[in-house]
Amino acid sequence: LKVIDVDSNQITGSIPSTIGLLPSLLVLDVDDNHLTGVLPEELFNVTTLVILDVDQNELTGTISTSIGNLVNLTGLQIDNNQFE
């Protein structure tokens, strides 16, 4: 699996920690849903990620410094959430 693109689908719940089990994932686009909770630490183990788009949700907490592990990231959209 290389792309997860489920934007604008009114999805609720949280991003599961099992996202870290997708070592070939290039794009995670879940913007404009109703996701809650924090970005799971396991997400930052997916070093193949090029695009991470989680804007326009209800995510909370802080952005982990482990985001620096995403060395291939060229696009990051995290606005319109409730991050600290």
Side-chain angles (χ1 to χ4, degrees):
L1 187 62
K2 294 188 183 219
V3 175
I4 297 175
D5 185 350
V6 292
D7 65 329
S8 303
N9 279 290
Q10 299 181 344
I11 296 171
T12 60
S14 60
I15 298 172
S17 61
T18 52
I19 196 81
L21 300 176
L22 300 173
S24 300
L25 190 64
L26 299 174
V27 176
L28 178 60
D29 184 352
V30 295
D31 76 286
D32 195 19
N33 283 291
H34 300 285
L35 296 174
T36 57
V38 299
L39 290 177
E41 191 68 24
E42 293 83 357
L43 174 63
F44 305 120
N45 295 330
V46 186
T47 57
T48 54
L49 265 183
V50 176
I51 302 291
L52 176 57
D53 186 350
V54 297
D55 70 323
Q56 297 182 11
N57 280 287
E58 300 162 25
L59 297 170
T60 58
T62 59
I63 306 295
S64 171
T65 58
S66 297
I67 197 168
N69 295 342
L70 303 179
V71 295
N72 293 303
L73 202 63
T74 59
L76 174 64
Q77 291 184 298
I78 59 172
D79 58 316
N80 295 315
N81 281 287
Q82 298 171 4
F83 293 120
E84 295 175 14

